[in-house]
Amino acid sequence: MKSENIERTVQQGSLAAPKQALRKVLAETIKTGIIKSNLIVMFAGIALALYIHNIAFSDKIGAIVLATLGSGLVIGAAGTFNNLYDRDIDKIMDRTKNRPTATGRMQLKNALILGIVMTLAGLGFLYAASPLAAIFGFTGLFFYVVPYTMWSKRRTIYNTEIGSISGAVPPLIGWAAISNDFFHPAALGLFVIMVLWQMPHFYAIAIRRHDEYKAADIPMLPVIKGNRRTYIQTNVYLVLLTLSSFLFLPVSSFIVGVSFVLSAAWLAASFICYRRMDSKKWATTMFIFSLNHMTILFTVVIGYSLIALFFN
């Protein structure tokens, strides 16, 4: 009797393992970590639009669910296409060498089908939420796959700037799911801050992974121009990021204050730490600051908007 139970357990375990492996392969292919972080930013656009236009959360629950599903699928599709196209250089870099498309755990045909299906489904959900949200979704996907992944990433030091356009689209998708007034200063503020935030963030990654990018022949700024130029350019973008806080002035002086303090602290840390640390330690500090900056700022935007809306 015991042997039968053991055999049944082993058989069940052998069935569970492939399912877990499949989930892991899918998660790594569509880059679930990037999806989650982008959905936070997307939801900031939703929350701010609800607050600005004094719309109850319950009145737009359908559009919010559709925008969330659509955004997740489109972002996942972008990650899948990126993995598919970059599989040759992914094999060279330690950070990416275990991606399913690089190791062969995800067959190329299956990855292509997955990306296409997620694109169509994601854009369908976004269109149901708002045609404008679908337009932004397609724009973000296109910029990430074509101008960034397929062209600029391997050709110019300005690949980060070009890629930042797609990275700044999620809050616009969220905003468009609620309102068509995408020229509002609040929507512009979210977009500009996301564009500017990405340069110090990805420059830091590029310094930390300098040797890997060099081996893969990817022209990241520190690889081509050196760490000193990267430090200077980082500070230029941090100054602009600090000044961009005032774009929220027509919305909330509180959000302006939080954004200004976070960005100014990041800039101050850059100056101070660069004098006391080597380049890689400085880059690690900048990377940590970037994550905290985005998380705190957009959590504040979401929280403030929903709380203020509740008390309106």
Side-chain angles (χ1 to χ4, degrees):
M1 194 71 179
K2 277 187 177 181
S3 62
E4 289 179 4
N5 290 335
I6 293 173
E7 184 178 353
R8 189 180 300 114
T9 301
V10 170
Q11 289 175 346
Q12 290 173 346
S14 66
L15 290 173
K19 289 180 181 178
Q20 292 174 352
L22 178 60
R23 284 197 294 268
K24 185 177 181 182
V25 167
L26 288 173
E28 291 175 357
T29 301
I30 66 176
K31 302 182 181 181
T32 52
I34 292 177
I35 292 174
K36 292 174 183 176
S37 61
N38 277 276
L39 286 180
I40 293 174
V41 179
M42 187 276 298
F43 200 80
I46 288 175
L48 201 56
L50 290 172
Y51 165 62
I52 294 297
H53 297 287
N54 196 27
I55 301 172
F57 186 92
S58 57
D59 291 345
K60 288 287 187 176
I61 190 67
I64 292 170
V65 171
L66 288 168
T68 302
L69 291 172
S71 296
L73 288 168
V74 169
I75 295 165
T80 301
F81 290 133
N82 175 264
N83 281 345
L84 189 60
Y85 190 83
D86 280 349
R87 62 190 185 278
D88 57 332
I89 57 177
D90 282 347
K91 294 176 183 178
I92 299 172
M93 301 178 65
D94 287 339
R95 185 172 66 91
T96 58
K97 66 182 181 182
N98 291 320
R99 286 177 175 171
T101 45
T103 61
R105 288 179 294 151
M106 170 64 78
Q107 294 183 5
L108 303 184
K109 179 181 177 181
N110 292 339
L112 181 60
I113 293 172
L114 177 64
I116 293 172
V117 170
M118 291 181 73
T119 297
L120 295 176
L123 292 177
F125 281 126
L126 289 178
Y127 186 84
S130 160
L132 184 59
I135 291 173
F136 281 132
F138 177 79
T139 301
L141 175 66
F142 175 80
F143 264 88
Y144 188 74
V145 175
V146 181
Y148 172 65
T149 298
M150 298 178 69
W151 180 71
S152 66
K153 184 174 182 178
R154 306 185 190 213
R155 288 177 173 84
T156 172
I157 59 171
Y158 298 106
N159 52 21
T160 304
E161 281 80 357
I162 293 169
S164 70
I165 301 299
S166 61
V169 166
L172 296 182
I173 295 175
W175 180 279
I178 305 301
S179 169
N180 289 327
D181 182 19
F182 63 92
F183 287 113
H184 193 283
L188 178 64
L190 291 173
F191 178 78
V192 170
I193 281 178
M194 276 305 299
V195 167
L196 296 173
W197 173 87
Q198 289 175 85
M199 267 62 81
H201 174 74
F202 286 109
Y203 288 164
I205 294 175
I207 289 178
R208 296 174 71 205
R209 301 287 183 172
H210 176 279
D211 294 343
E212 294 179 40
Y213 282 114
K214 185 176 181 180
D217 199 26
I218 301 175
M220 299 301 288
L221 183 64
V223 174
I224 304 301
K225 297 295 184 179
N227 291 341
R228 176 67 181 177
R229 163 69 178 274
T230 307
Y231 164 71
I232 294 171
Q233 205 154 308
T234 292
N235 291 337
V236 170
Y237 280 116
L238 287 176
V239 169
L240 293 175
L241 184 65
T242 304
L243 295 175
S244 69
S245 302
F246 294 102
L247 291 171
F248 289 116
L249 204 54
V251 180
S252 164
S253 57
F254 176 72
I255 294 178
V256 171
V258 171
S259 179
F260 185 88
V261 169
L262 287 172
S263 301
W266 192 0
L267 177 62
S270 176
F271 283 124
I272 294 169
C273 294
Y274 189 79
R275 297 175 182 176
R276 299 179 180 178
M277 302 175 177
D278 61 38
S279 293
K280 286 199 173 181
K281 287 184 179 179
W282 171 82
T284 299
T285 302
M286 293 297 96
F287 177 72
I288 293 170
F289 252 94
S290 71
L291 297 180
N292 288 328
H293 181 282
M294 184 183 73
T295 302
I296 294 172
L297 177 58
F298 285 100
T299 299
V300 167
V301 169
I302 294 169
Y304 177 89
S305 300
L306 296 181
I307 292 172
L309 181 63
F310 180 79
F311 286 105
N312 268 355

